[in-house]
Amino acid sequence: MEIPSLNPHIRHARAYTDFVIRSLDSRCYDCRLFFFREGEGSVEVENVKYDFSSGTAIFLPAGTRYRFYMAEGKADYLIFNFDLVSDFSHLKNSLGTPHPDAFEEEKMPVYPIPSEFSAPIFQSAPQLFETLHKCTQDFLTKPPYYRDICSSRLKRCLLELLRAGEAVPTAAIVRQITDYVHENYSDPQLTNEKMAELFHYHPYYISDLMKQSTGETLHRYLLSYRLRVARNLLVTSDMDITTVAWKCGFNSAAYFIKMFRADTGLTPARYRKKNIENF
């Protein structure tokens, strides 16, 4: 999906005044846009906290885990639940926002998402208030063509937010991914798809982020880290080759030997012998 195809389908739009936002772990089935007219606090997104204040707009992609922490408990804010496309316009009512443990994957509308909207966006954008507030009023009173008019207004705000906004810093996402790799490299079932599901991003998206930040795709980074640990184990332990392969997350000794030789030009046994002799 490309940006020109953006056609938001709004299921829920509401303005809350002096409202208490409870600090609960949540996960959204569709996209969320919060606009805080008054209030300050922080929101925890995928275990990383970001501060915000009055005039801040927060976009969260579908499937995002989040939790708000309000400094004063209450806030004036607007909220929108929506898809980025109209493909699921037959689902008109709110899909709800369950606790992550109660999240049912099959209820989430699935469609291609532009990379620009694949990650949360946080931005001070007080200029969006009037347009977004009109959306909430029309959604409540339902004048003729209100859905189409609200959709066009929300699209304009999303594009303005995108143009001026700052996505969750790439470094924060990459740090979470690399930390996870360093702690779980020994799991032979660790894959791009598993980590994408864990961090709630598309596999291609997190692989591209890794490539931009480390020079390696996610798959290559994981393989490189496993081989790095293997090289250390070969020199510092007396484990046999099969055990080293298993400890480093390889499904078989044959595959480990093949990848090790491609990386170093030596078999694991020859690498061990050469480096111990030179120690």
Side-chain angles (χ1 to χ4, degrees), residues 205-225:
Y205 177 72
I206 61 173
S207 188
D208 285 345
L209 286 186
M210 291 293 291
K211 178 72 173 176
Q212 294 169 22
S213 298
T214 69
E216 296 181 311
T217 63
L218 178 55
H219 174 75
R220 182 64 211 183
Y221 184 89
L222 174 58
L223 177 61
S224 296
Y225 191 78

Side-chain angles (χ1 to χ4, degrees), residues 114-128:
S115 59
E116 294 90 342
F117 289 107
S118 294
I121 300 172
F122 301 81
Q123 179 65 27
S124 176
Q127 73 279 6
L128 300 184

Side-chain angles (χ1 to χ4, degrees), residues 45-46 61 118-120 168 173 195-197 199-203 205-206:
V45 178
E46 309 299 351
S118 294
V168 171
I173 301 173
M195 283 186 277
E197 181 180 355
F199 292 102
H200 312 297
Y201 296 116
H202 193 282
Y205 177 72
I206 61 173

Side-chain angles (χ1 to χ4, degrees), residues 113-276:
I113 297 176
S115 59
E116 294 90 342
F117 289 107
S118 294
I121 300 172
F122 301 81
Q123 179 65 27
S124 176
Q127 73 279 6
L128 300 184
F129 173 73
E130 290 300 329
T131 303
L132 291 174
H133 192 244
K134 286 179 182 177
C135 276
T136 62
Q137 290 178 320
D138 282 356
F139 209 83
L140 180 64
T141 59
K142 297 178 172 48
Y145 313 113
Y146 77 97
R147 283 193 177 274
D148 297 298
I149 293 172
C150 288
S151 176
S152 65
R153 286 173 176 159
L154 181 58
K155 177 176 180 177
R156 176 182 174 182
C157 289
L158 288 172
L159 293 178
E160 286 193 29
L161 185 62
L162 185 63
R163 182 168 58 184
E166 179 180 353
V168 171
T170 296
I173 301 173
V174 170
R175 184 175 64 251
Q176 292 177 63
I177 295 169
T178 54
D179 286 349
Y180 191 82
V181 167
H182 298 169
E183 293 172 5
N184 297 276
Y185 66 89
S186 61
D187 178 4
Q189 304 304 315
L190 189 60
T191 62
N192 285 24
E193 289 71 24
K194 182 174 180 178
M195 283 186 277
E197 181 180 355
L198 177 70
F199 292 102
H200 312 297
Y201 296 116
H202 193 282
Y204 293 154
Y205 177 72
I206 61 173
S207 188
D208 285 345
L209 286 186
M210 291 293 291
K211 178 72 173 176
Q212 294 169 22
S213 298
T214 69
E216 296 181 311
T217 63
L218 178 55
H219 174 75
R220 182 64 211 183
Y221 184 89
L222 174 58
L223 177 61
S224 296
Y225 191 78
R226 283 171 166 164
L227 291 171
R228 189 192 318 167
V229 176
R231 290 194 296 272
N232 181 64
L233 290 176
L234 288 168
V235 176
T236 61
S237 78
D238 59 359
M239 294 178 190
D240 60 65
I241 303 304
T242 299
T243 301
V244 170
W246 174 73
K247 286 281 189 182
C248 295
F250 291 93
N251 282 311
S252 72
Y255 179 66
F256 167 57
I257 293 169
K258 178 182 178 181
M259 292 297 100
F260 194 92
R261 179 183 286 166
D263 186 63
T264 66
L266 300 169
T267 65
R270 178 59 187 153
Y271 180 90
R272 167 178 274 169
K273 186 174 186 298
K274 179 180 178 182
N275 282 276
I276 289 178

